[in-house]
Amino acid sequence: MSFQPDAEIDHEGPVTPYRQLAEILRARIKRGDWQPNRPIASESQLVQQYGLARTTVRRAIAVLVEEGLVFTVPQRGTYVSPPTVGQESLT
């Protein structure tokens, strides 16, 4: 499953919306929309931009946190993780 950074959420598609959003955010990070140690768009911004419920956005972010691609700071937001030693790409 691969989504482009500028893809839209397909609410009727076979992939759940939170997985679609996680893939889109991953592609946007890979493209360089957000740099390491810098915040990604807020939950509210993502809710508005993609027309999703806040719980769906949180679930997508949780997937990326679990993968180590982003980290959250309470009361501050979600940030792109710095590359780890030996990490060549986000594939």
Side-chain angles (χ1 to χ4, degrees):
M1 136 179 84
S2 178
F3 289 86
Q4 297 300 315
D6 298 318
E8 294 185 14
I9 301 296
D10 178 4
H11 295 276
E12 302 300 320
V15 179
T16 59
Y18 84 91
R19 285 277 179 201
Q20 291 179 54
L21 180 59
E23 290 295 324
I24 291 167
L25 295 177
R26 180 182 294 106
R28 290 184 66 185
I29 292 168
K30 186 175 182 179
R31 179 173 71 183
D33 288 7
W34 303 296
Q35 298 300 312
N37 293 313
R38 297 289 179 211
I40 66 169
S42 70
E43 286 181 3
S44 297
Q45 290 169 325
L46 294 171
V47 163
Q48 280 192 311
Q49 183 175 358
Y50 293 101
L52 297 169
R54 187 175 292 269
T55 54
T56 303
V57 170
R58 286 183 178 159
R59 201 165 172 194
I61 290 171
V63 168
L64 300 179
V65 167
E66 188 175 301
E67 294 173 359
L69 190 56
V70 299
F71 63 95
T72 58
V73 177
Q75 306 293 316
R76 301 284 299 175
T78 303
Y79 294 78
V80 177
S81 297
T84 58
V85 176
Q87 183 180 6
E88 300 281 328
S89 67
L90 300 174
T91 57

